[in-house]
Amino acid sequence: MTSAVSVRGLWKRFGQQVAVAGIDLELPAGKFIGLVGPNGAGKTTTLSMVTGLLRPDQGSVEIVGQDVWRDPVNVKARIGVLPEGLRLFERLSGRELLAYSGRLRGLPGAEVDRRAAQLLDVLDLAGAQHKLVVDYSTGMRKKIGLAAALLHNPEVLFLDEPFEGVDPVSAQTIRGVLERYTASGATVVFSSHVMELVESLCDWVAVMAAGRIRAHGPLDEVRGGAPSLQRAFLELVGAQGQNTGANLDWLGGGAR
Amino acid sequence: MTGDITPVVVRLKLSLLRNGLRQSGGRRAAYIASAVAVLLFSVLQLLGLIALRGNEHAASVVVPLVAVLAAGWAVMPLFFPGGDETLDPTRLVMLPLRPRPLVRALLVASLVGIGPVFTLCMLVGSVVSVAHGASAYVVSVIGVALALLVCVALARAVAVANIRLLTSRKGRDLAVLSGLVIAVGAQVVNFGAQRLGSGGLGQLDGPAEVLKWIPPASAIGAVDSASEGSYGIAVLQLALSAAALIGLLALWSRHLTRLMTSPDGSTLPSSQGAARERSSTGLARLLPAGRTGTVMERSLRYVWRDPKTKAAWVTSLAIGLIVPVFNAVQGTGSIYFACFAAGMLGVQMYNQFGQDTSAFWMVAMTISSTRDAYVELRGRALALLVITLPYATLVTVVTTALIDDWPKLPEVLGVSFALLGAMLATGAWTSARFPYSIPQEGYKNVAPGQSGLAAAAVVGGMVSAALLCAPVIALTIWANVSADGDEWSWVLLPIGAVYGTAITLAGLRLAAPRTARQLPEILVAVSKG
């Protein structure tokens, strides 16, 4: 099995806080991969380090066999990124943003415009293409960010919380585009804390908690005997058995 | 509905004031300090205006003064929309209120605060300085009340008329520009005051003749007219102010009704903005192909579209023009002040990546070699030059024309170009070495904790830029002091231009490897906003 992403001994500290505590991961190529974990598990930090946006304290990252930090020329052209919590150039219109981002990557202008038009169409943004991104809704921002990440046809796509705050219609559109993209042999790595979504989309998952990988492998393997990924996940991160019955006994219908 | 809501709204305003103070000690201290300062200032104004009593130009001073005061009231709600929460009637929209009592209540509530007290002091001082005789005193009382109410109603009417604007993104963009209006306005006022100082108060007679017919200044003009015995004119002037008050109240009431019965501006789609096609081809066709043109196009778009960038640019352009030209007009300036324009505009090269905010990641993802970083920085410098080069040249030519010292034009241009080059070079280098965040909301230009870094980068960079220019400046001095130097001073133009270009390229070459190496560190530094 060839690896799309290979991570070894990755560490990151922010002051006293250890965000990522020694991660080793082999992500197979051509799969739809979900990185799941509760808030604060280190998913965003990990994805930032993997994509070259954040320098790790220790460890190495290889994408399609090239070292991210030693050989950025070969890596940056082959990956697409949709980060979480970072802005876009919001004072450009959606169309201008794509034109800018594609040309910055060195694609020919005519080709950029052709691809941008198709992406805007498929992602249902054609009507808003001349509006400034600053006036876009959350879902529209995620979609234009996805379009910018796909524009140069990367081999591996990294998406940080692509469905967070996205309405069901936009989510379905994003899903459709991603499924088509992986079907052609490309790799998608995305982070989420919505288990149902990961379960229905991914064929390979890595579970993260407190800066470490708790389990990884094909979906069925990670799920094991549990009825759903949600249950398996709760067992893995040790959040089982928190009793909510004893308190809040006044809450609900009946006597006021 | 039972009872009058006026006391309720006034009490609401008082509670809001009090609770605002309760939030933090610093805020309370700031409020008390500003209140004391305003009161002191009001008292001084009052004394100054009373001292003006009997001066033949007294009316010419107080009438424009009241006009300026009213203008202040009109623009205030545009710039400080959050300043007075009772100004925002959308907060009261859920309450079952009729417009007429609401207008009355809000008007009375508006009279509570530092601003109205200050205005009242100014108005009282104004009438004291011009009122002579019993009838004039009677007119004074009416005039002061009318003028104060017109000021307050004006502010309210403007605020309500613009509430759509103030709750939309465009309105918030506008608010960022307000600091700039104040900065440039201060320069203009400063120069105006200097002219007044040299020309005497008589210069105000002309404007005062017109302004005394315009409400609310006409209410104060009425006092002066009554003092002179022209009772007919006085009544007419008072009537004008009263009519203005009624008109403003009617306008306010109508807007209020419409506002409270239609959806909030922030929830409506901005159909106007969406419909406007943004042509991308016009600008792009003139720019070079590849990364250079792409970077230039984005930078130039941001000069116009990003409020922070726009404010910085307009400030630089305005001050770069005002300092040399006004000094030249007054005859106090040196022709070398023209280099100020180049210096001011060169500052825009500083903290290039901070201007991107965390969107810098999009740039970082596409820089994988020193060459990429070099082209990126060069594109940004070129975008800057597209505006700066013609502008600095224009300012230099205008200054030279005003001083009428054409033989010096080439050397001043030469020094300007050298300085511009040095600013671009140091700007590029400090952008890579000392990046810092520019918060997008509010008036701050530096994120908390980075102000030392920002100051060090800009001040250090400017000093280094001046030092880098030293060879060209030395040559200029030599040309001026040596016997046959004047004949050779034209050579300074090509020398300055070549030196500026060379030093810019050298600065970009130095900055590029650092940028390429430090991409993640720069991204962290600029993402704090």
Side-chain angles (χ1 to χ4, degrees):
Chain A
M1 189 171 67
T2 50
S3 287
V5 181
S6 161
V7 177
R8 278 182 215 101
L10 205 61
W11 279 84
K12 185 72 192 179
R13 286 181 198 81
F14 296 111
Q16 295 289 309
Q17 170 110 20
V18 179
V20 173
I23 284 185
D24 295 291
L25 258 185
E26 295 286 333
L27 304 181
K31 301 271 186 201
F32 210 129
I33 298 161
L35 181 61
V36 301
N39 292 328
K43 302 188 295 289
T44 295
T45 310
T46 305
L47 284 180
S48 297
M49 287 194 287
V50 168
T51 51
L53 290 174
L54 182 69
R55 200 183 297 280
D57 295 337
Q58 272 173 54
S60 71
V61 180
E62 280 182 10
I63 295 178
V64 285
Q66 316 282 342
D67 190 295
V68 172
W69 293 98
R70 255 172 296 161
D71 193 8
V73 183
N74 272 322
V75 173
K76 284 188 174 174
R78 299 164 98 163
I79 61 172
V81 184
L82 174 62
E84 160 79 4
L86 295 180
R87 287 165 191 267
L88 300 165
F89 281 103
E90 289 163 2
R91 301 282 164 165
L92 300 179
S93 69
R95 195 183 186 99
E96 286 165 1
L97 185 75
L98 295 186
Y100 169 74
S101 143
R103 286 179 173 84
L104 217 54
R105 286 185 175 276
L107 297 175
E111 179 63 16
V112 171
D113 293 338
R114 196 178 66 85
R115 292 186 186 183
Q118 287 181 1
L119 279 166
L120 287 166
D121 213 28
V122 170
L123 288 167
D124 204 17
L125 286 171
Q129 58 177 321
H130 297 299
K131 236 166 109 171
L132 295 190
V133 175
V134 71
D135 293 328
Y136 277 17
S137 67
T138 313
M140 290 162 83
R141 276 169 202 245
K142 292 277 186 198
K143 287 195 285 186
I144 199 73
L146 179 66
L150 285 170
L151 199 59
H152 56 291
N153 189 23
E155 285 174 51
V156 188
L157 187 62
F158 296 92
L159 311 169
D160 197 356
E161 301 282 2
F163 298 100
E164 184 89 337
V166 177
D167 65 280
V169 178
S170 296
Q172 192 51 44
T173 313
I174 294 178
R175 239 178 119 144
V177 171
L178 293 181
E179 275 167 348
R180 200 156 91 191
Y181 173 72
T182 40
S184 66
T187 312
V188 173
V189 181
F190 85 101
S191 75
S192 179
H193 50 240
V194 185
M195 295 306 144
E196 291 80 5
L197 193 77
V198 173
E199 199 164 10
S200 67
L201 267 177
C202 299
D203 28 35
W204 209 96
V205 291
V207 180
M208 242 191 127
R212 290 170 198 280
I213 299 289
R214 293 298 167 86
H216 62 103
L219 179 67
D220 293 337
E221 229 170 76
V222 172
R223 193 162 44 195
S228 68
L229 185 62
Q230 170 87 2
R231 278 297 177 78
F233 172 77
L234 291 178
E235 263 168 46
L236 279 165
V237 302
Q240 279 271 309
Q242 279 180 8
N243 192 1
T244 53
N247 296 318
L248 304 183
D249 51 356
W250 46 268
L251 191 62
R256 289 280 184 272
Chain B
M1 222 174 75
T2 55
D4 190 11
I5 59 155
T6 307
V8 180
V9 176
V10 172
R11 238 174 290 141
L12 170 70
K13 169 98 183 224
L14 287 171
S15 313
L16 284 171
L17 272 177
R18 209 169 40 234
N19 292 346
L21 297 184
R22 206 183 285 163
Q23 271 174 358
S24 78
R27 204 162 150 178
R28 185 161 42 224
Y31 186 83
I32 292 172
S34 66
V36 169
V38 167
L39 280 178
L40 271 178
F41 190 64
S42 318
V43 169
L44 286 177
Q45 287 277 358
L46 192 61
L47 291 176
L49 287 167
I50 292 170
L52 209 62
R53 191 178 163 86
N55 187 307
E56 59 171 323
H57 296 300
S60 306
V61 174
V62 299
V63 169
L65 187 71
V66 173
V68 169
L69 206 59
W73 275 95
V75 296
M76 260 233 309
L78 290 179
F79 292 153
F80 305 103
D84 184 352
E85 281 173 277
T86 58
L87 263 180
D88 184 356
T90 50
R91 311 232 173 176
L92 308 171
V93 81
M94 296 307 289
L95 304 174
L97 300 173
R98 303 235 152 257
R100 195 173 282 273
L102 184 62
V103 164
R104 196 167 53 229
L106 289 177
L107 189 67
V108 175
S110 310
L111 293 172
V112 178
I114 303 184
V117 170
F118 173 71
T119 310
L120 187 64
C121 283
M122 296 276 272
L123 291 172
V124 168
S126 302
V127 295
V128 167
S129 70
V130 292
H132 300 282
S135 55
Y137 295 141
V138 175
V139 175
S140 293
V141 175
I142 306 169
V144 167
L146 266 180
L148 185 61
L149 287 174
V150 170
C151 282
V152 172
L154 187 63
R156 290 276 173 169
V158 170
V160 169
N162 287 292
I163 206 90
R164 284 261 158 86
L165 188 68
L166 297 181
T167 51
S168 69
R169 171 183 60 80
K170 287 222 162 65
R172 288 194 298 274
D173 288 2
L174 190 75
V176 172
L177 288 174
S178 63
L180 153 94
V181 172
I182 292 167
V184 175
Q187 287 283 337
V188 173
V189 167
N190 178 25
F191 280 101
Q194 280 184 24
R195 296 215 68 179
L196 208 60
S198 55
L201 294 176
Q203 292 215 339
L204 286 171
D205 286 349
E209 272 307 304
V210 181
L211 288 172
K212 74 177 182 188
W213 291 105
I214 297 171
S218 73
I220 305 303
V223 178
D224 185 46
S225 304
S227 301
E228 286 169 2
S230 335
Y231 299 114
I233 293 177
V235 169
L236 188 60
Q237 284 170 319
L238 278 183
L240 273 175
S241 278
L245 180 62
I246 293 166
L248 282 171
L249 289 179
L251 185 76
W252 177 18
S253 171
R254 217 181 58 223
H255 274 296
L256 206 58
T257 313
R258 203 167 64 201
L259 199 73
M260 300 188 85
T261 51
S262 59
D264 184 356
S266 57
T267 59
L268 288 174
S270 55
S271 53
Q272 194 190 0
R276 204 172 76 221
E277 183 101 2
R278 288 171 203 280
S279 64
S280 57
T281 47
L283 185 59
R285 233 180 297 151
L286 298 171
L287 297 172
R291 185 173 194 125
T292 308
T294 309
V295 171
M296 285 176 75
E297 193 180 9
R298 214 257 325 141
S299 296
L300 290 172
R301 281 205 172 110
Y302 258 55
V303 170
W304 182 246
R305 287 194 202 156
D306 183 52
K308 282 264 163 165
T309 315
K310 194 191 214 169
W313 267 97
V314 176
T315 312
S316 282
L317 289 171
I319 295 180
L321 178 72
I322 286 172
V323 169
V325 168
F326 277 34
N327 274 306
V329 167
Q330 291 188 312
T332 53
S334 150
I335 190 166
Y336 295 101
F337 273 11
C339 302
F340 206 81
M344 281 309 296
L345 291 168
V347 172
Q348 299 307 323
M349 188 67 197
Y350 284 69
N351 200 24
Q352 273 295 324
F353 305 130
Q355 294 177 29
D356 293 358
T357 69
S358 57
F360 176 70
W361 75 268
M362 297 192 83
V363 177
M365 282 311 295
T366 61
I367 293 180
S368 41
S369 65
T370 302
R371 174 75 196 163
D372 289 341
Y374 176 73
V375 177
E376 174 76 30
L377 282 164
R378 191 185 60 189
R380 289 170 187 244
L382 283 173
L384 218 118
L385 282 172
V386 167
I387 302 173
T388 309
L389 210 53
Y391 192 78
T393 310
L394 181 76
V395 170
T396 311
V397 170
V398 168
T399 310
T400 313
L402 285 170
I403 292 182
D404 197 21
D405 194 0
W406 292 102
K408 283 235 193 296
L409 180 63
E411 62 177 83
V412 176
L413 274 179
V415 174
S416 274
F417 294 158
L419 182 63
L420 191 55
M423 290 296 285
L424 292 183
T426 52
W429 191 77
T430 49
S431 291
R433 182 67 188 78
F434 301 112
Y436 59 90
S437 302
I438 303 177
Q440 290 304 288
E441 301 292 327
Y443 303 95
K444 284 209 189 85
N445 279 318
V446 184
Q450 289 186 319
S451 46
L453 183 70
V458 175
V459 174
M462 281 159 89
V463 170
S464 330
L467 287 177
L468 284 173
C469 283
V472 178
I473 295 173
L475 271 178
T476 313
I477 294 171
W478 174 81
N480 276 292
V481 294
S482 69
D484 53 354
D486 278 350
E487 287 170 33
W488 290 100
S489 70
W490 65 269
V491 184
L492 280 162
L493 175 54
I495 288 179
V498 169
Y499 187 82
T501 313
I503 204 162
T504 304
L505 291 176
L508 295 177
R509 288 248 173 256
L510 267 176
R514 178 145 200 129
T515 307
R517 263 200 326 269
Q518 302 281 310
L519 289 170
E521 284 73 18
I522 295 175
L523 179 61
V524 169
V526 300
S527 301
K528 294 192 198 302

